[in-house]
Amino acid sequence: MFPSEAWKIVGTNGRYQWFLSSFLLLSKLFVALQICLPVITEMRPEIAEEALGKNNSMTSIVTEFNVSNHVTELSKSVFWIGVIFGNSFLGNLADKHGRKKMLLFCFLCNILTAIATGMLTFNWETYMIGRLVAGFFQGGMFVIVFVFNNEFFDKKMWSTTGAIING
């Protein structure tokens, strides 16, 4: 049976497909958190003082490790380098071993990496390694969730569902 014939039987965009798609959207919240987290973890003391007042106890990699602005900018680049490699490598593994298995694997590894980065970062170099690994698994999640979500729907719906899942 061809996919087009299967879509005629089960329907192309029913409630179940939209339910599964909205469930996948929840995984994107963790992705968004990992991308936006450096705003706090890499905050400069003067910005924290301006935002939170003089008597704040805000710490970041800048205050803990006394790093320059170049290092904080480098951490963003390192994260996105990890994303590029994660897209390529984990996306191919998802094609071979199944998207659901690889999505769960990437999600679990992403959570463990976030915990390990928070607990085991003793200098800015280990923070960079944590950001690289987090980016790697985020990249896998980007591509797997995008493709997995689109596979729930008929090809005519892919532009809409792809825009929704990334939005």
Side-chain angles (χ1 to χ4, degrees):
M1 177 179 289
F2 293 105
S4 58
E5 294 171 1
W7 285 123
K8 289 177 186 174
I9 296 169
V10 298
T12 57
N13 59 347
R15 279 185 267 175
Y16 184 67
Q17 283 100 334
W18 286 108
F19 170 75
L20 291 176
S21 181
S22 63
F23 187 68
L24 281 175
L25 279 173
L26 293 175
S27 70
K28 286 289 198 170
L29 291 176
F30 189 75
V31 170
L33 179 66
Q34 282 286 335
I35 292 171
C36 295
L37 193 61
V39 171
I40 297 169
T41 60
E42 299 172 5
M43 188 179 289
R44 304 210 67 71
E46 55 274 5
I47 295 172
E49 184 178 309
E50 184 180 313
L52 304 171
K54 284 191 181 278
N55 296 329
N56 71 69
S57 59
M58 179 75 179
T59 61
S60 66
I61 66 164
V62 176
T63 57
E64 287 189 30
F65 308 133
N66 196 24
V67 297
S68 68
N69 196 35
H70 297 295
V71 173
T72 58
E73 294 302 317
L74 179 65
S75 74
K76 294 171 182 71
S77 299
V78 164
F79 176 81
W80 288 107
I81 288 169
V83 168
I84 290 169
F85 286 109
N87 274 333
S88 303
F89 184 73
L90 295 171
N92 284 333
L93 285 180
D95 289 340
K96 292 177 186 172
H97 300 291
R99 298 195 207 302
K100 192 183 331 179
K101 279 188 225 175
M102 288 304 298
L103 177 62
L104 293 174
F105 172 76
C106 286
F107 198 68
L108 177 67
C109 288
N110 219 326
I111 291 170
L112 294 175
T113 300
I115 292 169
T117 302
M119 294 177 67
L120 303 175
T121 299
F122 302 112
N123 54 31
W124 68 270
E125 291 90 353
T126 56
Y127 178 76
M128 291 290 184
I129 292 169
R131 291 298 290 163
L132 179 71
V133 174
F136 181 77
F137 290 114
Q138 287 289 351
M141 285 182 63
F142 283 154
V143 71
I144 293 168
V145 168
F146 181 80
V147 173
F148 198 34
N149 181 64
N150 282 341
E151 287 178 342
F152 293 146
F153 299 94
D154 187 29
K155 207 176 225 178
K156 290 180 252 177
M157 296 288 296
W158 285 5
S159 60
T160 304
T161 57
I164 289 171
I165 199 75
N166 283 328

